[in-house]
């Protein structure tokens, strides 16, 4: 188990985030829409930065940053969560502490406003790592976590995307195809992903990672993706890296994406950039798994590979300089 760094000298800190990967089409992106995404990503980065700048922990920064994105209707997490096939919102989230290897996660919760905070409570206030559904919500109530009426998660855009996805599914079935999430048309292709994630390095040299999502539009009741699976959608280890993933979760679970990136660094000595690229651009591509990751090593080096057309992403340096990007080229 890697030890929590005791280093007292102020060090560099850094925070990186993603707001989901997928088919993000420039022709569908109006200047207003793009500005709104960029503004929320920057606001999230500045929230985490303020914590890290004061000497706060990477765990605190990751949680606070992701709460901002969960509360934004633009991202598929918290307020902007996508709908399941039967018209509900089922949220998944996880968080991991790179210093101690402890982790917490929740899946399939329907009434938790900020699932990332519940994941953190599972890590710190329960003997468990992953709690699901009604049990997770009972635990939330016991911990005084804010529960909301499920209607809180209803947004017109996500509802429309569900109807489009269902239509596409019916058409695909009529043609003898089985893909439950076949994209409907160019306008709605972007509906598939939109998860949020953060990785951070604090002044003490500790890494943390977190991911929060509504999953995939039109997913079946009870389906759980990679976001709450430690080692798949989220992983952190001070000795290697912190990772948060976004993409077609089934492939990310089967590829154990987060842990594989860490293992390539630990066992083969790869840099974070080479390890992340090997997994996202080679292994996932070979399997047909669309998406990307953000990964950060213990020195604050960041890698953000994605094999989709776009990934909402950004980072903030210790001096407060923000970079936000959406498409292949920033
Ligand atoms: N990875 C998420 C899932 O499969 C979806 C996403 O990243 O948008 O649930």
């Amino acid at each position: 188990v890697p030890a929590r760094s005791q280093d007292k000298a102020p060090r560099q800190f850094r925070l990186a985030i993603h707001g989901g990967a997928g088919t993000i089409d420039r022709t569908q992106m109006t200047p207003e829409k793009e500005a709104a995404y960029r503004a929320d990503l920057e606001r999230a980065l500045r929230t985490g930065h303020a914590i890290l700048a004061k000497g706060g922990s990477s765990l605190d920064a990751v949680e606070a940053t992701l709460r901002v994105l969960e509360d934004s209707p633009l991202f598929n997490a918290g307020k902007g969560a996508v709908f399941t096939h039967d018209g509900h919102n089922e949220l998944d989230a996880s968080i991991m502490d790179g210093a101690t290897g402890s982790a917490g996660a929740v899946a399939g919760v329907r009434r938790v406003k900020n699932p990332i905070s519940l994941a953190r409570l599972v890590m710190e206030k329960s003997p468990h790592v992953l709690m699901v559904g009604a049990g997770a919500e009972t635990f939330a109530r016991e911990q005084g976590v804010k529960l909301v009426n499920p209607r809180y998660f209803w947004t017109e855009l996500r509802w429309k995307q569900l109807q489009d996805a269902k239509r596409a599914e019916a058409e695909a079935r009529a043609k003898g195809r089985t893909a439950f999430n076949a994209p409907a048309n160019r306008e709605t292709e972007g509906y598939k992903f939109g998860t949020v994630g953060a990785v951070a390095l604090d002044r003490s040299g500790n890494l943390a990672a977190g991911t929060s999502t509504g999953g995939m539009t039109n997913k079946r009741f009870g389906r759980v993706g990679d976001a709450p699976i430690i080692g798949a959608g989220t992983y952190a280890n001070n000795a290697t890296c912190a990772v948060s993933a976004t993409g077609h979760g089934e492939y990310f679970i089967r590829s154990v994406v987060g842990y594989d990136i860490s293992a390539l660094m630990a066992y083969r000595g790869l840099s974070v950039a080479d390890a992340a690229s090997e997994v996202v651009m080679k292994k996932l591509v070979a399997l047909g798994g669309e998406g990307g990751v953000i990964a950060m090593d213990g020195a604050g080096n960041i890698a953000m590979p994605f094999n989709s057309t776009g990934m909402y992403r950004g980072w903030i340096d210790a001096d407060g300089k923000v970079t936000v990007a959406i498409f292949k080229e920033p």
Side-chain angles (χ1 to χ4, degrees):
V1 179
R4 184 169 283 282
S5 174
Q6 295 299 318
D7 197 346
K8 286 284 180 293
R11 292 215 257 164
Q12 284 302 324
F13 56 92
R14 223 173 185 197
L15 169 69
I17 59 175
H18 69 76
T23 309
I24 307 172
D25 191 341
R26 256 189 212 282
T27 63
Q28 300 296 328
M29 184 64 83
T30 62
E32 296 74 38
K33 218 164 118 184
E34 181 169 344
Y37 275 104
R38 286 180 180 273
D40 278 3
L41 289 167
E42 177 161 352
R43 199 157 52 81
L45 285 167
R46 295 216 178 276
T47 301
H49 180 271
I51 291 169
L52 295 171
K54 277 189 296 198
S57 73
S58 50
L59 274 177
D60 284 346
V62 162
E63 180 186 356
T65 300
L66 291 181
R67 285 178 68 102
V68 172
L69 297 172
E70 284 178 338
D71 290 344
S72 163
L74 297 178
F75 301 96
N76 171 21
K79 175 66 186 165
V82 299
F83 284 97
T84 63
H85 182 71
D86 55 355
H88 296 289
N89 307 96
E90 295 181 358
L91 292 75
D92 303 336
S94 67
I95 194 163
M96 187 161 185
D97 181 358
T100 61
S102 31
V106 294
V109 293
R110 291 183 174 189
R111 298 191 306 130
V112 179
K113 184 166 179 274
N114 293 107
I116 192 65
S117 294
L118 185 58
R120 176 131 186 221
L121 286 166
V122 170
M123 173 171 88
E124 291 177 346
K125 299 278 164 30
S126 90
H128 307 308
V129 169
L130 172 60
M131 297 184 75
V132 307
E137 286 179 1
T138 301
F139 174 69
R141 205 175 305 114
E142 285 166 9
Q143 294 294 325
V145 165
K146 184 160 176 63
L147 296 180
V148 290
N149 186 305
R151 275 199 303 266
Y152 166 79
F153 299 108
W154 196 96
T155 57
E156 190 175 350
L157 174 71
R158 299 303 186 195
W159 186 252
K160 183 174 169 292
Q161 288 173 342
L162 173 64
Q163 309 316 315
D164 289 342
K166 283 180 146 178
R167 204 172 309 119
E169 179 183 56
E171 280 164 19
R173 198 174 284 138
K175 288 188 197 135
R177 288 198 277 131
T178 53
F180 77 81
N181 50 7
N185 54 47
R186 290 175 66 78
E187 250 160 69
T188 53
E189 274 179 353
Y191 72 75
K192 282 208 283 183
F193 309 125
T195 295
V196 302
V199 293
L201 172 71
D202 62 30
R203 282 190 191 275
S204 306
N206 293 311
L207 287 167
T211 312
S212 181
T213 188
M216 290 177 73
T217 301
N218 200 24
K219 68 181 180 180
R220 265 35 182 190
F221 170 56
R223 178 268 189 186
V224 174
D226 61 312
I229 307 300
I230 296 301
T234 302
Y235 191 70
N237 181 341
N238 272 6
T240 52
C241 60
V243 181
S244 171
T246 171
H248 196 148
E250 280 68 11
Y251 294 88
F252 282 65
I253 294 174
R254 290 160 54 207
S255 303
V256 201
V257 165
Y259 186 74
D260 196 22
I261 293 170
S262 170
L264 285 169
M265 293 175 71
Y267 304 150
R268 268 180 43 199
L270 296 195
S271 67
V272 67
D274 287 348
S277 162
E278 169 99 20
V279 173
V280 174
M281 307 310 280
K282 291 194 188 143
K283 292 183 170 189
L284 276 172
V285 168
L287 271 184
E290 185 185 1
V293 304
I294 53 170
M296 187 184 290
D297 70 13
N301 296 303
I302 302 171
M304 303 183 143
F306 55 96
N307 61 40
S308 47
T309 58
M311 180 166 84
Y312 297 102
R313 62 200 187 281
W315 67 91
I316 187 162
D317 293 326
D319 62 5
K321 184 173 169 288
V322 166
T323 308
V324 168
I326 300 174
F327 306 103
K328 287 247 156 71
E329 65 289 0

PDB file of all heavy atoms in Angstrom, residues 233-259:
ATOM      1  N   GLY A 233     -13.470   2.335 -14.487  1.00  0.00           N
ATOM      2  CA  GLY A 233     -13.707   3.750 -14.773  1.00  0.00           C
ATOM      3  C   GLY A 233     -12.923   4.701 -13.886  1.00  0.00           C
ATOM      4  O   GLY A 233     -12.735   5.868 -14.231  1.00  0.00           O
ATOM      5  N   THR A 234     -12.499   4.227 -12.732  1.00  0.00           N
ATOM      6  CA  THR A 234     -11.776   5.073 -11.775  1.00  0.00           C
ATOM      7  C   THR A 234     -10.645   4.268 -11.137  1.00  0.00           C
ATOM      8  O   THR A 234     -10.852   3.107 -10.768  1.00  0.00           O
ATOM      9  CB  THR A 234     -12.728   5.552 -10.645  1.00  0.00           C
ATOM     10  OG1 THR A 234     -13.817   6.273 -11.234  1.00  0.00           O
ATOM     11  CG2 THR A 234     -12.018   6.450  -9.643  1.00  0.00           C
ATOM     12  N   TYR A 235      -9.488   4.889 -11.020  1.00  0.00           N
ATOM     13  CA  TYR A 235      -8.392   4.235 -10.304  1.00  0.00           C
ATOM     14  C   TYR A 235      -7.388   5.288  -9.859  1.00  0.00           C
ATOM     15  O   TYR A 235      -7.182   6.274 -10.555  1.00  0.00           O
ATOM     16  CB  TYR A 235      -7.689   3.192 -11.195  1.00  0.00           C
ATOM     17  CG  TYR A 235      -6.738   2.331 -10.398  1.00  0.00           C
ATOM     18  CD1 TYR A 235      -7.233   1.406  -9.485  1.00  0.00           C
ATOM     19  CD2 TYR A 235      -5.366   2.486 -10.505  1.00  0.00           C
ATOM     20  CE1 TYR A 235      -6.370   0.655  -8.701  1.00  0.00           C
ATOM     21  CE2 TYR A 235      -4.496   1.735  -9.733  1.00  0.00           C
ATOM     22  CZ  TYR A 235      -5.003   0.821  -8.836  1.00  0.00           C
ATOM     23  OH  TYR A 235      -4.140   0.082  -8.055  1.00  0.00           O
ATOM     24  N   ALA A 236      -6.774   5.099  -8.700  1.00  0.00           N
ATOM     25  CA  ALA A 236      -5.725   6.017  -8.247  1.00  0.00           C
ATOM     26  C   ALA A 236      -4.722   5.285  -7.365  1.00  0.00           C
ATOM     27  O   ALA A 236      -5.105   4.482  -6.509  1.00  0.00           O
ATOM     28  CB  ALA A 236      -6.324   7.192  -7.470  1.00  0.00           C
ATOM     29  N   ASN A 237      -3.457   5.572  -7.614  1.00  0.00           N
ATOM     30  CA  ASN A 237      -2.372   4.973  -6.848  1.00  0.00           C
ATOM     31  C   ASN A 237      -1.204   5.954  -6.897  1.00  0.00           C
ATOM     32  O   ASN A 237      -0.719   6.264  -7.994  1.00  0.00           O
ATOM     33  CB  ASN A 237      -1.991   3.632  -7.509  1.00  0.00           C
ATOM     34  CG  ASN A 237      -0.875   2.916  -6.779  1.00  0.00           C
ATOM     35  OD1 ASN A 237      -0.136   3.515  -5.994  1.00  0.00           O
ATOM     36  ND2 ASN A 237      -0.736   1.628  -7.042  1.00  0.00           N
ATOM     37  N   ASN A 238      -0.778   6.437  -5.751  1.00  0.00           N
ATOM     38  CA  ASN A 238       0.315   7.420  -5.732  1.00  0.00           C
ATOM     39  C   ASN A 238       1.547   6.936  -6.489  1.00  0.00           C
ATOM     40  O   ASN A 238       2.309   7.733  -7.010  1.00  0.00           O
ATOM     41  CB  ASN A 238       0.734   7.710  -4.283  1.00  0.00           C
ATOM     42  CG  ASN A 238      -0.083   8.829  -3.661  1.00  0.00           C
ATOM     43  OD1 ASN A 238      -1.035   9.319  -4.268  1.00  0.00           O
ATOM     44  ND2 ASN A 238       0.277   9.222  -2.448  1.00  0.00           N
ATOM     45  N   ALA A 239       1.766   5.617  -6.516  1.00  0.00           N
ATOM     46  CA  ALA A 239       2.973   5.074  -7.134  1.00  0.00           C
ATOM     47  C   ALA A 239       2.911   5.111  -8.659  1.00  0.00           C
ATOM     48  O   ALA A 239       3.944   4.973  -9.321  1.00  0.00           O
ATOM     49  CB  ALA A 239       3.198   3.642  -6.658  1.00  0.00           C
ATOM     50  N   THR A 240       1.690   5.264  -9.206  1.00  0.00           N
ATOM     51  CA  THR A 240       1.582   5.264 -10.669  1.00  0.00           C
ATOM     52  C   THR A 240       0.779   6.477 -11.152  1.00  0.00           C
ATOM     53  O   THR A 240       1.344   7.458 -11.596  1.00  0.00           O
ATOM     54  CB  THR A 240       0.920   3.956 -11.169  1.00  0.00           C
ATOM     55  OG1 THR A 240      -0.314   3.754 -10.463  1.00  0.00           O
ATOM     56  CG2 THR A 240       1.853   2.772 -11.006  1.00  0.00           C
ATOM     57  N   CYS A 241      -0.542   6.397 -11.033  1.00  0.00           N
ATOM     58  CA  CYS A 241      -1.363   7.449 -11.640  1.00  0.00           C
ATOM     59  C   CYS A 241      -2.772   7.467 -11.063  1.00  0.00           C
ATOM     60  O   CYS A 241      -3.172   6.575 -10.329  1.00  0.00           O
ATOM     61  CB  CYS A 241      -1.462   7.210 -13.152  1.00  0.00           C
ATOM     62  SG  CYS A 241      -2.209   5.623 -13.569  1.00  0.00           S
ATOM     63  N   ALA A 242      -3.491   8.536 -11.433  1.00  0.00           N
ATOM     64  CA  ALA A 242      -4.926   8.620 -11.163  1.00  0.00           C
ATOM     65  C   ALA A 242      -5.615   8.649 -12.521  1.00  0.00           C
ATOM     66  O   ALA A 242      -5.142   9.330 -13.432  1.00  0.00           O
ATOM     67  CB  ALA A 242      -5.255   9.892 -10.386  1.00  0.00           C
ATOM     68  N   VAL A 243      -6.720   7.888 -12.655  1.00  0.00           N
ATOM     69  CA  VAL A 243      -7.407   7.770 -13.949  1.00  0.00           C
ATOM     70  C   VAL A 243      -8.913   7.912 -13.768  1.00  0.00           C
ATOM     71  O   VAL A 243      -9.491   7.371 -12.824  1.00  0.00           O
ATOM     72  CB  VAL A 243      -7.161   6.377 -14.592  1.00  0.00           C
ATOM     73  CG1 VAL A 243      -7.864   6.278 -15.952  1.00  0.00           C
ATOM     74  CG2 VAL A 243      -5.687   6.088 -14.746  1.00  0.00           C
ATOM     75  N   SER A 244      -9.558   8.659 -14.681  1.00  0.00           N
ATOM     76  CA  SER A 244     -11.017   8.635 -14.786  1.00  0.00           C
ATOM     77  C   SER A 244     -11.366   8.444 -16.253  1.00  0.00           C
ATOM     78  O   SER A 244     -10.809   9.112 -17.131  1.00  0.00           O
ATOM     79  CB  SER A 244     -11.640   9.933 -14.261  1.00  0.00           C
ATOM     80  OG  SER A 244     -13.027   9.940 -14.574  1.00  0.00           O
ATOM     81  N   ALA A 245     -12.306   7.540 -16.499  1.00  0.00           N
ATOM     82  CA  ALA A 245     -12.631   7.176 -17.883  1.00  0.00           C
ATOM     83  C   ALA A 245     -14.023   7.644 -18.279  1.00  0.00           C
ATOM     84  O   ALA A 245     -14.878   7.926 -17.433  1.00  0.00           O
ATOM     85  CB  ALA A 245     -12.543   5.661 -18.043  1.00  0.00           C
ATOM     86  N   THR A 246     -14.235   7.722 -19.582  1.00  0.00           N
ATOM     87  CA  THR A 246     -15.560   7.967 -20.126  1.00  0.00           C
ATOM     88  C   THR A 246     -15.672   7.284 -21.470  1.00  0.00           C
ATOM     89  O   THR A 246     -14.735   7.296 -22.260  1.00  0.00           O
ATOM     90  CB  THR A 246     -15.849   9.479 -20.287  1.00  0.00           C
ATOM     91  OG1 THR A 246     -17.082   9.619 -21.018  1.00  0.00           O
ATOM     92  CG2 THR A 246     -14.746  10.199 -21.030  1.00  0.00           C
ATOM     93  N   GLY A 247     -16.803   6.661 -21.701  1.00  0.00           N
ATOM     94  CA  GLY A 247     -16.988   5.956 -22.963  1.00  0.00           C
ATOM     95  C   GLY A 247     -17.975   4.835 -22.788  1.00  0.00           C
ATOM     96  O   GLY A 247     -18.740   4.807 -21.814  1.00  0.00           O
ATOM     97  N   HIS A 248     -17.937   3.899 -23.726  1.00  0.00           N
ATOM     98  CA  HIS A 248     -18.890   2.787 -23.713  1.00  0.00           C
ATOM     99  C   HIS A 248     -18.481   1.819 -22.598  1.00  0.00           C
ATOM    100  O   HIS A 248     -17.603   0.979 -22.756  1.00  0.00           O
ATOM    101  CB  HIS A 248     -18.875   2.120 -25.088  1.00  0.00           C
ATOM    102  CG  HIS A 248     -20.056   1.247 -25.306  1.00  0.00           C
ATOM    103  ND1 HIS A 248     -20.623   1.047 -26.538  1.00  0.00           N
ATOM    104  CD2 HIS A 248     -20.789   0.514 -24.444  1.00  0.00           C
ATOM    105  CE1 HIS A 248     -21.658   0.232 -26.413  1.00  0.00           C
ATOM    106  NE2 HIS A 248     -21.766  -0.104 -25.149  1.00  0.00           N
ATOM    107  N   GLY A 249     -19.153   1.939 -21.460  1.00  0.00           N
ATOM    108  CA  GLY A 249     -18.723   1.300 -20.226  1.00  0.00           C
ATOM    109  C   GLY A 249     -18.477  -0.195 -20.280  1.00  0.00           C
ATOM    110  O   GLY A 249     -17.569  -0.698 -19.616  1.00  0.00           O
ATOM    111  N   GLU A 250     -19.278  -0.902 -21.063  1.00  0.00           N
ATOM    112  CA  GLU A 250     -19.111  -2.355 -21.136  1.00  0.00           C
ATOM    113  C   GLU A 250     -17.686  -2.722 -21.564  1.00  0.00           C
ATOM    114  O   GLU A 250     -17.068  -3.640 -21.033  1.00  0.00           O
ATOM    115  CB  GLU A 250     -20.139  -2.965 -22.096  1.00  0.00           C
ATOM    116  CG  GLU A 250     -21.550  -3.145 -21.503  1.00  0.00           C
ATOM    117  CD  GLU A 250     -22.303  -1.854 -21.212  1.00  0.00           C
ATOM    118  OE1 GLU A 250     -21.860  -0.770 -21.636  1.00  0.00           O
ATOM    119  OE2 GLU A 250     -23.359  -1.915 -20.535  1.00  0.00           O
ATOM    120  N   TYR A 251     -17.154  -1.961 -22.536  1.00  0.00           N
ATOM    121  CA  TYR A 251     -15.790  -2.213 -23.012  1.00  0.00           C
ATOM    122  C   TYR A 251     -14.759  -1.810 -21.973  1.00  0.00           C
ATOM    123  O   TYR A 251     -13.713  -2.451 -21.841  1.00  0.00           O
ATOM    124  CB  TYR A 251     -15.546  -1.444 -24.312  1.00  0.00           C
ATOM    125  CG  TYR A 251     -16.404  -1.943 -25.447  1.00  0.00           C
ATOM    126  CD1 TYR A 251     -17.681  -1.428 -25.661  1.00  0.00           C
ATOM    127  CD2 TYR A 251     -15.947  -2.956 -26.295  1.00  0.00           C
ATOM    128  CE1 TYR A 251     -18.480  -1.893 -26.688  1.00  0.00           C
ATOM    129  CE2 TYR A 251     -16.739  -3.424 -27.330  1.00  0.00           C
ATOM    130  CZ  TYR A 251     -18.010  -2.886 -27.518  1.00  0.00           C
ATOM    131  OH  TYR A 251     -18.791  -3.362 -28.534  1.00  0.00           O
ATOM    132  N   PHE A 252     -15.061  -0.736 -21.247  1.00  0.00           N
ATOM    133  CA  PHE A 252     -14.105  -0.254 -20.240  1.00  0.00           C
ATOM    134  C   PHE A 252     -14.030  -1.202 -19.044  1.00  0.00           C
ATOM    135  O   PHE A 252     -12.975  -1.352 -18.434  1.00  0.00           O
ATOM    136  CB  PHE A 252     -14.483   1.171 -19.794  1.00  0.00           C
ATOM    137  CG  PHE A 252     -14.083   2.223 -20.796  1.00  0.00           C
ATOM    138  CD1 PHE A 252     -14.662   2.274 -22.056  1.00  0.00           C
ATOM    139  CD2 PHE A 252     -13.108   3.160 -20.485  1.00  0.00           C
ATOM    140  CE1 PHE A 252     -14.289   3.236 -22.991  1.00  0.00           C
ATOM    141  CE2 PHE A 252     -12.731   4.132 -21.409  1.00  0.00           C
ATOM    142  CZ  PHE A 252     -13.317   4.174 -22.658  1.00  0.00           C
ATOM    143  N   ILE A 253     -15.145  -1.843 -18.731  1.00  0.00           N
ATOM    144  CA  ILE A 253     -15.122  -2.840 -17.652  1.00  0.00           C
ATOM    145  C   ILE A 253     -14.300  -4.042 -18.102  1.00  0.00           C
ATOM    146  O   ILE A 253     -13.399  -4.504 -17.393  1.00  0.00           O
ATOM    147  CB  ILE A 253     -16.551  -3.294 -17.286  1.00  0.00           C
ATOM    148  CG1 ILE A 253     -17.346  -2.146 -16.674  1.00  0.00           C
ATOM    149  CG2 ILE A 253     -16.494  -4.483 -16.309  1.00  0.00           C
ATOM    150  CD1 ILE A 253     -18.817  -2.471 -16.425  1.00  0.00           C
ATOM    151  N   ARG A 254     -14.601  -4.529 -19.300  1.00  0.00           N
ATOM    152  CA  ARG A 254     -13.898  -5.722 -19.782  1.00  0.00           C
ATOM    153  C   ARG A 254     -12.409  -5.473 -19.956  1.00  0.00           C
ATOM    154  O   ARG A 254     -11.594  -6.396 -19.856  1.00  0.00           O
ATOM    155  CB  ARG A 254     -14.518  -6.182 -21.102  1.00  0.00           C
ATOM    156  CG  ARG A 254     -15.914  -6.769 -20.908  1.00  0.00           C
ATOM    157  CD  ARG A 254     -16.694  -6.765 -22.199  1.00  0.00           C
ATOM    158  NE  ARG A 254     -15.968  -7.431 -23.272  1.00  0.00           N
ATOM    159  CZ  ARG A 254     -16.133  -7.151 -24.572  1.00  0.00           C
ATOM    160  NH1 ARG A 254     -17.000  -6.235 -24.942  1.00  0.00           N
ATOM    161  NH2 ARG A 254     -15.447  -7.799 -25.477  1.00  0.00           N
ATOM    162  N   SER A 255     -12.034  -4.225 -20.229  1.00  0.00           N
ATOM    163  CA  SER A 255     -10.616  -3.895 -20.432  1.00  0.00           C
ATOM    164  C   SER A 255      -9.925  -3.443 -19.146  1.00  0.00           C
ATOM    165  O   SER A 255      -8.725  -3.186 -19.146  1.00  0.00           O
ATOM    166  CB  SER A 255     -10.492  -2.783 -21.476  1.00  0.00           C
ATOM    167  OG  SER A 255     -11.094  -3.171 -22.685  1.00  0.00           O
ATOM    168  N   VAL A 256     -10.680  -3.360 -18.055  1.00  0.00           N
ATOM    169  CA  VAL A 256     -10.120  -2.919 -16.759  1.00  0.00           C
ATOM    170  C   VAL A 256      -9.191  -1.709 -16.990  1.00  0.00           C
ATOM    171  O   VAL A 256      -8.020  -1.713 -16.620  1.00  0.00           O
ATOM    172  CB  VAL A 256      -9.386  -4.067 -16.035  1.00  0.00           C
ATOM    173  CG1 VAL A 256      -9.284  -3.769 -14.539  1.00  0.00           C
ATOM    174  CG2 VAL A 256     -10.102  -5.385 -16.232  1.00  0.00           C
ATOM    175  N   VAL A 257      -9.759  -0.699 -17.638  1.00  0.00           N
ATOM    176  CA  VAL A 257      -8.980   0.403 -18.196  1.00  0.00           C
ATOM    177  C   VAL A 257      -8.083   1.122 -17.185  1.00  0.00           C
ATOM    178  O   VAL A 257      -6.884   1.282 -17.405  1.00  0.00           O
ATOM    179  CB  VAL A 257      -9.936   1.405 -18.899  1.00  0.00           C
ATOM    180  CG1 VAL A 257      -9.258   2.732 -19.173  1.00  0.00           C
ATOM    181  CG2 VAL A 257     -10.457   0.787 -20.190  1.00  0.00           C
ATOM    182  N   GLY A 258      -8.652   1.556 -16.071  1.00  0.00           N
ATOM    183  CA  GLY A 258      -7.868   2.333 -15.110  1.00  0.00           C
ATOM    184  C   GLY A 258      -6.704   1.536 -14.548  1.00  0.00           C
ATOM    185  O   GLY A 258      -5.566   2.018 -14.492  1.00  0.00           O
ATOM    186  N   TYR A 259      -6.991   0.317 -14.153  1.00  0.00           N
ATOM    187  CA  TYR A 259      -5.934  -0.508 -13.564  1.00  0.00           C
ATOM    188  C   TYR A 259      -4.903  -0.903 -14.607  1.00  0.00           C
ATOM    189  O   TYR A 259      -3.708  -1.009 -14.315  1.00  0.00           O
ATOM    190  CB  TYR A 259      -6.522  -1.750 -12.874  1.00  0.00           C
ATOM    191  CG  TYR A 259      -5.447  -2.519 -12.155  1.00  0.00           C
ATOM    192  CD1 TYR A 259      -4.920  -2.034 -10.964  1.00  0.00           C
ATOM    193  CD2 TYR A 259      -4.921  -3.689 -12.691  1.00  0.00           C
ATOM    194  CE1 TYR A 259      -3.893  -2.696 -10.319  1.00  0.00           C
ATOM    195  CE2 TYR A 259      -3.901  -4.357 -12.056  1.00  0.00           C
ATOM    196  CZ  TYR A 259      -3.386  -3.869 -10.872  1.00  0.00           C
ATOM    197  OH  TYR A 259      -2.366  -4.513 -10.234  1.00  0.00           O
TER     198      TYR A 259
END
